[in-house]
Amino acid sequence: MASTMGGMFPSQQPPGSHPAGPAGAPGQPGLLPVASGSRNQSNNTLVDDLEASFEACFASLVSQDYVNGTDQEEIRTGVDQCIHKFLDVARQTECFFLQKRLQLSVQKPEQVVKEDVSELRNELQRKELLIQKHLTKIHHWQQVLEDINVQHKKPTELPQGPLAFLEQASANIPTPMKPN
């Protein structure tokens, strides 16, 4: 597994330099350490460095040195250094995974197509559910509008104005029938 994950740069090395070591392919450090108990500084992987720099970011924010310190510029500089180190290692980790993705796309293009098809199916299903949700809301609001229109039609059929009551009452009086 470690041999297939080769190509990662340790955070102590600038990108492009590959120290010789057994962590990955010959001459390349890997994502996973070779021995499960070896976590010293020379065998750190990018994941280890990412975790350590993430912990250092939080440690710098809650450190008693910073809490008790009065020099705000010193505190800001220390926190900025921790954050920049974390971002650098995160970029290196992202670069590693992008390289692996590129290798996969070259070696097994059908796998990439399968993943794309799967993603498109998931997106299509999500959008169909969203359409159904919107159609349900549209039907609900159409019913609400119909109910409002029916309620408004009843009062408009009645005459309006100061003599509306008399007009309505006279309309209800039956007209006398004329004898033939």
Side-chain angles (χ1 to χ4, degrees):
M1 175 106 179
S3 65
T4 62
M5 293 293 190
M8 290 187 60
F9 309 113
S11 66
Q12 295 83 14
Q13 302 285 332
S17 66
H18 300 285
Q28 296 178 343
L31 181 62
L32 302 172
V34 175
S36 61
S38 64
R39 286 188 62 130
N40 60 19
Q41 196 68 7
S42 64
N43 281 338
N44 273 357
T45 63
L46 278 178
V47 173
D48 294 334
D49 292 341
L50 186 67
E51 181 181 3
S53 62
F54 183 72
E55 290 171 357
C57 285
F58 280 106
S60 67
L61 293 172
V62 296
S63 172
Q64 285 298 324
D65 296 336
Y66 291 133
V67 173
N68 296 334
T70 57
D71 186 13
Q72 293 295 323
E73 191 60 35
E74 181 181 330
I75 295 170
R76 185 174 292 122
T77 303
V79 171
D80 283 345
Q81 287 175 350
C82 289
I83 290 172
H84 285 299
K85 178 175 171 46
F86 174 74
L87 291 175
D88 288 341
V89 176
R91 284 186 198 104
Q92 291 174 4
T93 306
E94 180 183 21
C95 181
F96 169 78
F97 284 109
L98 289 173
Q99 288 172 349
K100 291 301 166 186
R101 179 74 175 171
L102 178 63
Q103 287 176 357
L104 180 67
S105 68
V106 169
Q107 293 171 355
K108 296 183 180 183
E110 68 278 356
Q111 183 66 29
V112 175
V113 171
K114 285 180 185 178
E115 289 175 6
D116 289 345
V117 167
S118 176
E119 288 175 10
L120 289 171
R121 283 185 180 146
N122 289 339
E123 184 177 350
L124 184 62
Q125 184 179 22
R126 182 186 59 83
K127 288 183 178 181
E128 285 175 352
L129 289 173
L130 187 63
I131 289 171
Q132 289 300 320
K133 179 181 169 185
H134 286 300
L135 285 175
T136 303
K137 286 183 179 181
I138 287 172
H139 290 303
H140 168 74
W141 287 111
Q142 283 177 338
Q143 186 63 42
V144 168
L145 288 174
E146 281 182 28
D147 292 345
I148 290 172
N149 283 339
V150 168
Q151 289 175 358
H152 281 356
K153 283 183 181 178
K154 289 179 182 175
T156 55
E157 292 173 356
L158 301 175
Q160 301 293 324
L163 301 176
F165 178 74
L166 290 175
E167 291 175 7
Q168 184 181 7
S170 65
N172 291 335
I173 298 175
T175 57
M177 304 237 351
K178 294 183 182 178
N180 287 353

